Amino acid sequence: RVRVERHSIANRTVDAGSDGERPYGTGEMQSVQYGAIVGQVNLAHQPPMLQQTRISSVMSEPQRALLGYISAGQDALNQAEKDLETKVQLPPLGTDPGSLQWREETLDTSKQTVTTHLATMNAATAQVVTASQPDEIDHEAVGAAVSQITQSIPEVTKEVRLIAALMDDDCTGDKLLEATRKLCNAFSDLLKSAEPESKEPRQNLLNAATRVGEASGQVLSTIGEESIESRELHDMLLSLAKAVANTTAALVLKAKSIAAVTEDEGTRNRVIGAASQCALATSQLVACARVVAPTIQSPACREQLEAAAREVAKAVANLAEVCNEATDNQQLRGDLTAAAKDVSKSLADLLEHIKLSTREKARRVENENPVDNVLVATDILVSSTDPQEMIRQAQQLGRATALLIQSIKVKRKDRTIRVCSGSCLRQPNSLLMPPPEWWKRHGCVPVIRTIRPT
């Protein structure tokens, strides 16, 4: 039985905490609200000990979508951690030249796949950082980045398990699985910190992003995809990012000196706000640098880091403008201008180093793979803003294209493949050069056949 009490129309609350009869206030129908539902529904005649329905907050459509992406990502990470407990089970491989070549080429292919996916995931992590401004979160951008991470997790897991199984040293394979599990843990913390309306401090998000960069670097090091040159570029990048942080900290101190002598409260608050924004942009830059440093040769990673650097430059320019309007003291203005120039110089050094990493990649692949030469030269040409650099890269692209054409002509010479000697003419993927066990399993006897280009 429900007893209706007639109170003030302003009383629209529902008392769901008592047993038996439940009074309801009268009032107008409320509009529909979407929220995150936590707990269970307590119906009118259920025991009072059941947990009540709680709507934690009203969420927008992008927020709900982001929550779905994060949930799917956590599920993928949990599954990946379970899969990474074991290596892929492979049949016994022989020691003949064909088996050894198959192992080597499969390892190379899997390592390249892992490197590519890690670069994509690192770039997406950097996007999560830059799109998660404390006062303005781009939920669609964060959702897209989380979705990209989620899609890459199963691929990385699959290839890592295969690499671990093919490694000569079982101990190294186990270390690779452990490093990848740590990477999954770091991503899990990142997704947790990126949840809509998360109560965790922003520093947790930056710390999780930093751990993603460290863990991805450890994975690359374990599979042997980190050269000495790459490590030097990595360390120098982090040093330059720290230099930006140090010069920005000095600039913020100069701005605080101006705020301290500013009498107008509104102007003083604007100076403090601009200084805080400058510090925030710098912390994002450092976090992004730590994330993308292991894969800085990826165009997507460079783009994220360059975007973070531009945000710092914008914040510095805004701080200088606000401070110059706040004071007429020439000494304070001069000190601030000098500090701002130091930040600009450190940013320029960082951006130049990013370009250097691109040139280093070009140097390493030169004369190794003509296709890579064309792709790298094209990448540098498109990303260049200096006319002289664009001319040099256009010339390099022309040379790389000529070498590619020559390489194609050379490869058109006769080649041999293995085919079945019987009537089935069974032929495996000749690029993988399967071991003798493959032929035995299919009941075939391989013979050598010569193919001549037409």
Side-chain angles (χ1 to χ4, degrees):
R1 185 172 73 257
V2 178
R3 176 167 54 85
V4 178
E5 294 185 356
R6 302 184 182 277
H7 296 294
S8 169
I9 195 171
N11 183 5
R12 303 188 180 99
T13 60
V14 178
D15 183 6
S18 61
D19 198 10
E21 296 182 350
R22 300 174 182 272
Y24 292 85
T26 60
E28 62 183 15
M29 179 69 72
Q30 300 298 304
S31 60
V32 177
Q33 293 182 336
Y34 296 97
I37 307 300
V38 183
Q40 296 175 319
V41 176
N42 187 7
L43 300 178
H45 296 287
Q46 285 183 326
M49 70 283 297
L50 291 179
Q51 189 177 5
Q52 305 292 318
T53 300
R54 291 182 288 111
I55 300 180
S56 62
S57 61
V58 177
M59 287 190 178
S60 64
E61 182 65 31
Q63 285 177 315
R64 295 198 300 274
L66 173 58
L67 199 60
Y69 288 133
I70 290 176
S71 178
Q74 294 287 18
D75 291 342
L77 287 167
N78 291 335
Q79 183 60 48
E81 289 192 53
K82 294 178 182 178
D83 294 340
L84 289 167
E85 293 293 336
T86 59
K87 307 172 185 177
V88 170
Q89 296 298 318
L90 296 175
L93 300 177
T95 57
D96 61 286
S99 298
L100 295 177
Q101 183 176 356
W102 179 85
R103 178 196 292 264
E104 181 181 354
E105 293 181 352
T106 303
L107 270 173
D108 288 342
T109 301
S110 295
K111 288 179 180 180
Q112 291 173 10
T113 302
V114 169
T115 301
T116 300
H117 280 293
L118 287 182
T120 300
M121 296 168 79
N122 285 352
T125 300
Q127 181 171 317
V128 170
V129 172
T130 56
S132 300
Q133 300 281 351
D135 54 345
E136 184 180 359
I137 300 178
D138 188 344
H139 293 97
E140 291 185 358
V142 176
V146 171
S147 177
Q148 186 65 65
I149 293 171
T150 302
Q151 293 174 19
S152 297
I153 289 169
E155 294 299 321
V156 171
T157 301
K158 179 182 68 175
E159 300 298 338
V160 162
R161 295 180 67 225
L162 178 58
I163 294 172
L166 290 173
M167 282 182 164
D168 295 329
D169 184 3
D170 289 338
C171 182
T172 305
D174 293 336
K175 288 182 180 179
L176 175 59
L177 295 178
E178 176 63 23
T180 311
R181 287 196 296 270
K182 289 182 179 179
L183 178 62
C184 290
N185 289 332
F187 274 121
S188 180
D189 292 340
L190 177 76
L191 297 189
K192 182 179 179 181
S193 300
E195 290 180 358
E197 301 186 3
S198 173
K199 301 302 181 182
E200 295 190 12
R202 176 170 174 76
Q203 190 59 41
N204 288 6
L205 177 69
L206 301 182
N207 291 341
T210 298
R211 289 196 298 274
V212 167
E214 293 172 350
S216 63
Q218 185 61 40
V219 171
L220 291 174
S221 177
T222 306
I223 65 177
E225 287 296 290
E226 185 183 50
S227 64
I228 296 177
E229 293 82 0
S230 297
R231 186 65 198 181
E232 291 176 350
L233 290 171
H234 171 281
D235 294 341
M236 180 58 69
L237 178 66
L238 295 184
S239 297
L240 292 173
K242 291 179 181 178
V244 174
N246 292 335
T247 54
T248 305
L251 174 64
V252 170
L253 288 177
K254 300 299 181 183
K256 287 184 177 180
S257 298
I258 293 177
V261 298
T262 302
E263 296 180 358
D264 182 71
E265 183 178 357
T267 303
R268 183 168 61 251
N269 289 337
R270 284 197 298 273
V271 172
I272 294 174
S276 299
Q277 183 60 36
C278 197
L280 173 64
T282 305
S283 66
Q284 287 187 167
L285 173 65
V286 174
C288 287
R290 289 173 175 170
V291 170
V292 304
T295 51
I296 189 58
Q297 292 165 348
S298 162
C301 290
R302 293 199 304 271
E303 180 181 348
Q304 289 294 329
L305 189 56
E306 289 170 349
R310 287 194 296 269
E311 288 298 318
V312 174
K314 186 188 303 182
V316 169
N318 179 63
L319 178 59
E321 180 180 354
V322 171
C323 288
N324 284 328
E325 293 176 354
T327 183
D328 294 329
N329 188 308
Q330 296 301 318
Q331 179 65 39
L332 293 177
R333 280 186 172 184
D335 292 343
L336 183 83
T337 300
K341 288 182 178 179
D342 289 341
V343 177
S344 298
K345 183 180 183 304
S346 61
L347 279 173
D349 292 340
L350 176 64
L351 293 173
E352 179 61 29
H353 184 73
I354 296 174
K355 294 180 181 179
L356 176 63
S357 67
T358 305
R359 291 194 291 269
E360 173 63 20
K361 178 181 179 181
R363 186 191 66 78
R364 287 196 299 110
V365 302
E366 187 175 1
N367 297 326
E368 291 182 3
N369 190 324
V371 176
D372 284 346
N373 290 341
V374 173
L375 294 177
V376 171
T378 303
D379 178 39
I380 300 176
L381 176 61
V382 172
S383 61
S384 296
T385 56
D386 180 25
Q388 295 299 324
E389 179 69 16
M390 294 177 70
I391 293 174
R392 286 194 297 271
Q393 293 307 321
Q395 294 171 344
Q396 176 63 26
L397 178 59
R399 290 192 294 268
T401 304
L403 289 174
L404 175 60
I405 294 173
Q406 181 64 26
S407 175
I408 293 173
K409 290 180 178 179
V410 171
K411 289 183 178 180
R412 292 185 71 248
K413 63 183 181 180
D414 295 355
R415 66 186 181 94
T416 59
I417 61 172
R418 294 178 181 179
V419 296
C420 177
S421 59
S423 59
C424 68
L425 294 180
R426 186 187 301 273
Q427 178 187 341
N429 186 343
S430 59
L431 293 178
L432 295 182
M433 294 294 292
E437 287 79 3
W438 189 93
W439 301 98
K440 294 179 181 178
R441 186 164 60 251
H442 291 84
C444 298
V445 179
V447 296
I448 302 299
R449 173 172 294 181
T450 301
I451 296 181
R452 292 183 172 84
T454 57

